[in-house]
Amino acid sequence: MTGENRESPRVQAEFTVRAEALSRARLPGVDLSRGGLFIATERFLPLNAVLRLTIALDDAPGEIPTLCRVVFVRDRAAAKATGKPAGMGLELLDISAEHRAVLDESLAARSARNPAPPPPPRERQPSRSDALDVIVVDDDARFREYAAGPFRKRGDLVRVTSDGLEALAMCLKQAPDIIVSDVQMPRMDGWQLLRLVRARPSLAAVPVLFLTTLSGDDERMLGYQLGVDGYLAKPYAQEELLVRVHQIVRRARSARSTPGARTTLRGELDHVASGSLFSFLEMDRKSGVLLVLGASVARAFFRDGRVLRVELEGTALDSRGAFAEVLRWTTGQFEFSPQEVVCRDELGQSVTALLLESAREEDEGRR
């Protein structure tokens, strides 16, 4: 690249390349009568930049000059993610018919000498019954495409957007099976998108998975309070994303098929400490039953935010011992169902007092 060309203010750079660095490409938005080329390079220009390209062919005399426009860039990060070479896709703007024929013949001959490896066997495409409609929301194009990739590979319907406002419009046009969203985004963030989705009867049952770097209990608890169905911490493996999405969709469909199901809070202890969960139910003065699936199965009975009784299956622990045991669990799932609770207060203390007492006993046990 030699920099600005003084002959025309349109031309932002000049490249001279040999045929080995070129491949014929069908590029989005390109007039196919002009054709497209891909240059393998790590020296990038912005989209729509115009450059003067000189192509040197080993199997033809002379060189081919042409003006090109950059219509596609695969940077180093995208190249690493896709396993394809970094470079730029170019639209040929003024190549002559004679030069185009020479170039096509040279590229065809080189492709015949070096055939591309056969494509890998196609994975089983999902049947009509198990295909998903997924909306992926992220203001970072790399994360957005990374999240969409495994669903596209499966053959699912994938709709992508960079902010919550567009995602909401997509949902109103056609409700998806699941929304996979970043949290921190401009214009409309994940929190606001979740509020608006849950506020609309036609969308209230659509599951939402947050992909985020947020790690605080308060922030995660806010998501669960608003009705998020799960979190997946960035960075993550695409296989893990697929598994989580199918778990959440299956759980949501099961809940919709259960008459009278009224779960207002559901999530995972991996993301919210059990102590924070108990504190939240106290502060919101909740009445109902908290089911916790961890090392065992526990049920905690709340009335107006006060925990009255805790049961732990398979043990003879009383409510106080069961409460202390649940506080030690760091992995598992929880689900709170609002309902009228009629039982005796076996603990006799507020959640705050119980947590302080548990912390004091744990400290004493370490001494």
Side-chain angles (χ1 to χ4, degrees):
M1 183 165 56
T2 60
E4 293 289 331
N5 184 289
R6 298 179 183 275
E7 297 176 7
S8 171
R10 294 189 307 147
V11 177
Q12 298 183 26
E14 293 183 359
F15 275 81
T16 299
V17 296
R18 304 200 70 82
E20 306 88 71
L22 293 174
S23 60
R24 178 65 71 186
R26 287 182 171 267
L27 303 167
V30 169
D31 178 354
L32 292 180
S33 66
R34 292 177 178 175
L37 288 176
F38 183 84
I39 296 182
T41 180
E42 293 194 353
R43 304 175 73 181
F44 309 114
L45 291 173
L47 290 177
N48 295 316
V50 176
L51 66 142
R52 191 178 303 281
L53 184 68
T54 302
I55 304 169
L57 301 175
D58 294 333
D59 49 2
E63 297 177 335
I64 297 178
T66 179
L67 287 179
C68 303
R69 181 170 63 91
V70 178
V71 294
F72 170 73
V73 174
R74 183 185 297 131
D75 61 18
R76 296 177 186 87
K80 184 176 180 180
T82 61
K84 298 179 180 179
M88 299 185 297
L90 307 176
E91 179 184 9
L92 306 180
L93 298 178
D94 67 347
I95 188 170
S96 68
E98 179 183 358
H99 281 151
R100 185 188 298 114
V102 172
L103 180 60
D104 286 343
E105 183 178 348
S106 175
L107 291 176
R110 192 158 53 86
S111 296
R113 292 194 301 268
N114 303 289
R122 291 175 61 86
E123 292 190 1
R124 182 187 68 84
Q125 296 298 307
S127 65
R128 204 177 276 270
S129 63
D130 67 357
L132 296 178
D133 180 349
V134 183
I135 291 180
V136 176
V137 195
D138 201 311
D139 60 313
D140 188 311
R142 293 169 299 174
F143 284 119
R144 187 166 63 243
E145 291 307 307
Y146 183 76
F151 300 104
R152 288 188 176 132
K153 190 175 181 181
R154 269 178 33 93
D156 296 321
L157 172 61
V158 185
R159 293 177 279 169
V160 298
T161 182
S162 59
D163 70 78
L165 191 60
E166 285 190 22
L168 181 61
M170 289 178 176
C171 290
L172 292 173
K173 185 176 181 180
Q174 177 180 322
D177 291 305
I178 188 168
I179 301 169
V180 178
S181 178
D182 186 24
V183 176
Q184 297 166 305
M185 297 179 292
R187 199 153 72 136
M188 181 186 287
D189 61 20
W191 306 121
Q192 185 64 9
L193 171 62
L194 181 59
R195 287 188 183 96
L196 293 175
V197 166
R198 292 289 175 257
R200 284 163 169 74
S202 61
L203 301 176
V206 173
V208 177
L209 171 65
F210 276 160
L211 307 178
T212 181
T213 56
L214 298 176
S215 58
D217 275 3
D218 290 345
E219 294 165 323
R220 301 247 175 155
M221 202 67 239
L222 172 61
Y224 286 129
Q225 181 182 6
L226 294 173
V228 76
D229 292 87
Y231 286 90
L232 187 57
K234 295 179 179 178
Y236 55 85
Q238 289 179 319
E239 295 78 8
E240 184 181 7
L241 174 60
L242 279 176
V243 169
R244 292 297 304 281
V245 163
H246 281 279
Q247 287 175 341
I248 290 172
V249 169
R250 185 168 59 250
R251 189 171 64 191
R253 288 173 175 171
S254 175
R256 285 198 294 267
S257 65
T258 304
R262 292 195 305 143
T263 300
T264 59
L265 194 65
R266 177 193 293 125
E268 300 184 17
L269 295 180
D270 306 62
H271 303 142
V272 177
S274 52
S276 297
L277 177 60
F278 278 99
S279 294
F280 167 76
L281 294 172
E282 178 183 53
M283 287 187 295
D284 257 30
R285 300 184 61 82
K286 296 289 188 181
S287 294
V289 179
L290 174 67
L291 173 67
V292 186
L293 307 177
S296 180
V297 178
R299 291 177 180 81
F301 299 84
F302 284 80
R303 184 168 61 230
D304 295 328
R306 191 177 183 89
V307 59
L308 307 178
R309 177 182 176 185
V310 182
E311 300 174 347
L312 193 60
E313 289 187 5
T315 74
L317 292 174
D318 61 10
S319 287
R320 192 171 296 272
F323 179 84
E325 178 63 25
V326 173
L327 289 183
R328 298 188 185 98
W329 295 354
T330 57
T331 185
Q333 296 178 326
F334 63 84
E335 189 172 285
F336 180 79
S337 299
Q339 56 188 270
E340 184 179 356
V341 171
V342 180
C343 67
R344 184 171 59 87
D345 186 352
E346 298 179 2
L347 289 162
Q349 289 179 288
S350 67
V351 168
T352 301
L354 289 167
L355 291 174
L356 290 173
E357 181 179 304
S358 179
R360 178 181 55 78
E361 291 176 352
E362 187 174 346
D363 285 343
E364 290 177 352
R366 290 186 183 133
R367 295 173 185 172

